[in-house]
Amino acid sequence: MILFNNFKAHYQQYKDILDKAYARVAESGWYVLGKEVESFEKELAAYIGTKYCVGVASGTDAIQLSLKAYGIGCGDEVITTNMTAFPTITAIMQTGATPVVVDIDPLSGLLDASEIEKKINANTKAIVPVHLYGQSCDLEAIMAIADKHQLVVVEDCAQAIGATYKGKRCGSIGHTGSFSFYPTKNLGALGDGGAISTNDEAVYNKLLMLRNYGQSVRYYHTEEGINSRLDELQAAFLREKLTLLEGWSERRYEIAKYYRENIKTGTFIEERAYGKPVYHLFVIRHEQRNALLDHLNANGVQALIHYPVPIAHQDAFKGQKEEAFAHTELFANQVLSIPIYPELPQAEMETVVTVINSFNG
Ligand SMILES: Cc1ncc(COP(=O)(O)O)c(C=O)c1O
């Protein structure tokens, strides 16, 4: 079976440095909010190109706490895309705010910025653009709308660490950027983790409290916070992996190029000229997607669908049940993700292409 991801192979390749990082933390006797987290936050901020970074427990919390840091909660509306991983919505709902979705651009699958203003009303407080599959949204267009209506922009960079928009990294353009280190992500921990990037010093200071029960000074609680901390072990692993990330992104890009040049059926997600994607996922579109998925599985290639159900059709999403989102609906019926990760062997990459090209749909 050609796996969609291979975490054991990844660990074996980087066993030495990861084991040393583990020993460093285990022997230090300090496991939560210490030197590793502080160093990782500085290193990640430098990589993203922001003044500050705050480690948190997950990508979901990174979005939730970003919104809370700007005072967003009950009675507020937050605009995002109808095609994303559900945690984008979970995070908005956790603040008490109401998520409002817009349709996607049919070629890139990204939130269609020209749909945003139709949804803005007096309750709208923020936009959460999702850099889906590792490609940046059109941030200039989104920031212009946000400026005009005084909205906060929380970039959901869970799938897009390292991706650029006009030479700047995702997460450095909005008010905050939120990152996930869930193991499947391009920078994956050996467990859960997340981070928030920002240039806003006041928000940075607030986030330090919000992630730690709202505590300002030990035993003094200033904000209504939660427990959402990145632990020292994960920070130590992530520090090591961050030094390798650029090489991994390049490898993902090469694999994507090979797929684009050699796959002869279906169509690809359009690459936007304004930036460089990091190919968290490689997604093809096909009119006979379900048959192609069966064909891949029958021939030993693991493939997945990101995402089969638009947000507006999810039971846990209570709004916009009557609204039609033509582009998202077609997209959800046609997309298929095939294996892409830095350690994917050349021979497996070639087999994936051969199997897809042998589909007689
Ligand atoms: C687009 C998007 N947003 C948010 C998240 C949430 O991240 P986490 O699983 O770390 O909470 C994910 C990942 O699952 C994601 O893909």
Side-chain angles (χ1 to χ4, degrees):
M1 188 67 156
I2 296 181
L3 300 173
F4 193 75
N5 264 312
N6 192 339
F7 302 117
K8 281 191 186 169
H10 181 83
Y11 174 66
Q12 283 310 324
Q13 190 158 343
Y14 301 104
K15 186 176 172 8
D16 283 355
I17 58 168
L18 294 173
D19 288 0
K20 273 189 198 136
Y22 169 80
R24 193 166 78 222
V25 174
E27 285 162 15
S28 78
W30 190 281
Y31 306 126
V32 175
L33 293 187
K35 288 198 177 77
E36 297 289 341
V37 170
E38 263 174 41
S39 300
F40 175 63
E41 289 173 340
K42 287 202 178 82
E43 288 154 13
L44 185 62
Y47 176 78
I48 302 299
T50 52
K51 286 189 193 153
Y52 312 103
C53 233
V54 179
V56 294
S58 69
T60 309
D61 282 356
I63 301 170
Q64 182 204 163
L65 293 179
S66 292
L67 293 169
K68 279 190 176 165
Y70 282 96
I72 291 158
C74 289
D76 297 333
E77 293 186 6
V78 177
I79 297 174
T80 189
T81 167
N82 196 23
M83 178 50 61
T84 181
F86 199 75
T88 311
I89 306 300
T90 308
I92 297 168
M93 294 193 303
Q94 276 173 345
T95 68
T98 303
V100 174
V101 295
V102 299
D103 209 355
I104 54 169
D105 166 76
L107 299 177
S108 65
L110 298 166
L111 169 151
D112 181 350
S114 69
E115 291 291 312
I116 294 175
E117 279 194 299
K118 297 176 194 164
K119 302 290 181 200
I120 294 178
N121 61 42
N123 295 326
T124 309
K125 294 287 152 47
I127 306 169
V128 180
V130 179
H131 304 311
L132 195 68
Y133 307 148
Q135 172 158 243
S136 177
C137 292
D138 186 353
L139 284 169
E140 240 166 48
I142 293 166
M143 293 311 290
I145 296 166
D147 283 349
K148 183 170 155 199
H149 298 274
Q150 297 192 311
L151 306 176
V152 169
V153 174
V154 173
E155 293 179 58
D156 183 343
C157 311
Q159 302 187 358
I161 190 162
T164 58
Y165 178 83
K166 298 196 175 172
K168 289 185 174 171
R169 289 206 199 280
C170 289
S172 68
I173 296 167
H175 293 79
T176 70
S178 61
F179 295 86
S180 164
F181 308 122
Y182 183 71
T184 58
K185 297 296 191 275
N186 290 24
L187 181 64
L190 275 70
D192 272 311
I196 302 160
S197 56
T198 187
N199 286 313
D200 185 331
E201 190 180 358
V203 160
Y204 166 68
N205 286 320
K206 199 161 173 182
L207 286 167
L208 293 178
M209 292 189 259
L210 287 177
R211 72 166 172 191
N212 196 25
Y213 332 114
Q215 181 171 272
S216 47
V217 181
R218 201 168 195 188
Y219 305 133
Y220 287 82
H221 300 264
T222 318
E223 300 283 339
E224 264 187 52
I226 58 172
N227 175 353
S228 180
R229 301 176 298 223
L230 182 67
D231 65 64
E232 288 284 282
L233 264 181
Q234 299 307 337
F237 296 141
L238 290 166
R239 287 184 68 197
E240 302 300 335
K241 290 186 173 205
L242 183 58
T243 65
L244 301 163
L245 182 62
E246 277 306 277
W248 292 341
S249 299
E250 276 310 313
R251 180 68 191 141
R252 285 176 182 273
Y253 200 83
E254 276 171 22
I255 298 171
K257 189 161 173 277
Y258 177 82
Y259 282 156
R260 282 178 184 277
E261 285 169 0
N262 292 286
I263 292 173
K264 302 295 178 207
T265 182
T267 54
F268 304 115
I269 298 297
E270 199 175 86
E271 255 189 40
R272 290 298 162 86
Y274 55 56
K276 191 167 180 192
V278 289
Y279 282 100
H280 171 57
L281 295 170
F282 190 88
V283 173
I284 60 173
R285 287 183 72 167
H286 205 285
E287 284 176 6
Q288 289 161 276
R289 189 269 312 277
N290 291 345
L292 177 58
L293 178 61
D294 290 344
H295 173 77
L296 281 162
N297 287 334
N299 287 282
V301 177
Q302 211 180 27
L304 296 170
I305 298 170
H306 298 91
Y307 295 91
V309 184
I311 298 302
H313 293 325
Q314 296 281 2
D315 290 342
F317 180 80
K318 304 293 179 214
Q320 293 169 279
K321 291 295 179 205
E322 307 303 320
E323 202 171 325
F325 296 94
H327 296 319
T328 316
E329 267 142 44
L330 185 63
F331 196 82
N333 287 329
Q334 293 188 338
V335 286
L336 184 69
S337 312
I338 58 175
I340 188 166
Y341 58 92
E343 299 80 26
L344 182 67
Q346 183 76 24
E348 292 195 5
M349 210 165 96
E350 288 167 13
T351 305
V352 172
V353 169
T354 308
V355 171
I356 293 177
N357 287 345
S358 70
F359 177 63
N360 298 311

